[in-house]
């Protein structure tokens, strides 16, 4: 079975940095387009960053210039580098990706990793 698993979350002070990883495991051809979402308490789910199969990226205005999404196809991993973190970045971050398999394409979600930005 295919699974996505996020890691790298934690507690960081404002202005600090974290790098989130999303590793896909199982039997599949590769990872297609991928996204990082986040959900903060009391807020709806927000799309933070997107990366296409070809590497094109888009970001929410709230994180543009501070966050960078990238991918390493050999490692079957999608990353989210978060710099200049703010308290309002506190949320549970979820990886979402299209998984390419022979004869089928499916969208998967990870279980999330908690990011807390606080002094």
């Amino acid at each position: 079975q295919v699974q996505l698993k996020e890691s790298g979350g934690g507690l960081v002070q404002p202005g600090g940095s974290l790098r989130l990883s999303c590793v896909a495991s199982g039997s599949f051809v590769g990872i297609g387009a991928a996204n990082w979402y986040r959900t903060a308490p009391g807020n709806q789910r927000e799309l933070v960053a997107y990366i296409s199969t070809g590497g094109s990226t888009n970001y929410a205005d709230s994180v543009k210039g501070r966050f960078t999404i990238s991918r390493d196809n050999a490692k079957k991993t999608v990353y989210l580098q978060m710099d200049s973190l703010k308290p309002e970045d506190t949320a549970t971050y979820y990886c979402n990706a299209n998984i390419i398999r022979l004869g089928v394409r499916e969208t998967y979600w990870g279980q999330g990793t908690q990011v807390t930005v606080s002094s």
Side-chain angles (χ1 to χ4, degrees), residues 32-104:
N35 308 280
W36 283 98
Y37 288 86
R38 68 185 181 187
T39 301
N43 293 344
Q44 65 180 4
R45 184 185 65 188
E46 177 188 20
L47 176 61
V48 174
Y50 161 87
I51 186 166
S52 72
T53 304
S56 298
T57 59
N58 281 297
Y59 301 91
D61 289 340
S62 59
V63 307
K64 192 172 298 182
R66 300 187 297 117
F67 289 12
T68 303
I69 188 172
S70 62
R71 61 193 298 151
D72 187 331
N73 292 331
K75 295 182 178 180
K76 300 179 180 179
T77 302
V78 179
Y79 302 97
L80 184 67
Q81 177 68 42
M82 305 183 295
D83 299 318
S84 301
L85 283 163
K86 304 175 181 179
E88 51 263 45
D89 294 319
T90 296
T92 302
Y93 285 72
Y94 299 90
C95 177
N96 166 259
N98 293 329
I99 301 299
I100 304 170
R101 301 167 61 198
L102 293 177
V104 64

